[in-house]
């Protein structure tokens, strides 16, 4: 069970159960390949844009987070724009201002927990 996000990368990785992170990596690879191909074709400077938009709504104690990414490529004959479908992730805020996929006032029901050291018993 993942804990609360301490970095922006961890926050992105918890959205949409990790699918957003994987999709963004795929879009980033498309930007790299698209720019390399466009630069070879034009022998010049090329530019692309990858935008990420996050919308936050708070209902009671739960944050609803919608993410949308768009990619724009430079060459008009290759111009393409890809918009992800809007999907929502749920997150709760910890007292110290981090997002967590779990309610902070609810104990961990699954995953590894430290139960303290116990002496070995020989049955």
């Amino acid at each position: 069970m993942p804990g609360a996000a301490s970095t922006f990368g961890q926050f992105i990785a918890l959205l949409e159960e990790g699918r957003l992170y994987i999709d963004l990596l795929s879009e980033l690879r498309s930007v790299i390949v698209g720019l390399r191909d466009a630069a070879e074709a034009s022998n010049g400077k090329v530019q692309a844009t990858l935008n990420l938009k996050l919308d936050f709504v708070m209902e009671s104690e739960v944050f609803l987070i919608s993410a949308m990414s768009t990619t724009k490529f430079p060459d008009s004959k290759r111009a393409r724009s890809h918009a992800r479908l809007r999907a929502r992730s749920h997150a709760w805020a910890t007292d110290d201002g981090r997002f967590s996929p779990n309610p902070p006032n609810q104990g961990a029901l699954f995953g590894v927990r430290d139960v303290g050291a116990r002496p070995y018993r020989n049955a």
Side-chain angles (χ1 to χ4, degrees):
M1 175 177 272
S6 296
T7 66
F8 191 73
Q10 291 172 345
F11 168 69
I12 295 298
L14 75 81
L15 296 178
E16 300 175 20
E17 299 174 347
R19 289 187 309 271
L20 176 66
Y21 186 81
I22 292 168
D23 290 347
L24 288 172
L25 282 175
S26 176
E27 287 186 44
L28 182 59
R29 287 187 185 116
S30 295
V31 167
I32 293 167
V33 170
L35 284 179
R36 187 176 51 211
D37 293 347
E40 287 176 7
S42 67
N43 291 324
K45 182 178 177 181
V46 292
Q47 182 177 343
T49 305
L50 191 156
N51 291 310
L52 173 63
K53 179 182 177 189
L54 300 172
D55 291 324
F56 299 86
V57 174
M58 186 170 184
E59 290 182 7
S60 299
E61 296 180 7
V62 179
F63 286 87
L64 301 173
I65 305 161
S66 299
M68 184 169 183
S69 64
T70 57
T71 307
K72 184 176 179 185
F73 290 87
D75 195 8
S76 60
K77 65 181 174 185
R78 294 192 66 234
R80 54 188 185 202
S81 182
H82 171 70
R84 285 192 76 258
L85 295 177
R86 294 177 69 96
R88 283 196 167 164
S89 299
H90 294 79
W92 285 261
T94 63
D95 290 339
D96 59 352
R98 296 182 297 150
F99 280 119
S100 173
N102 308 303
N105 59 351
Q106 181 181 31
L109 301 175
F110 303 100
V112 178
R113 293 185 286 169
D114 183 15
V115 294
R118 296 187 182 185
Y120 178 74
R121 284 189 350 177
N122 194 358

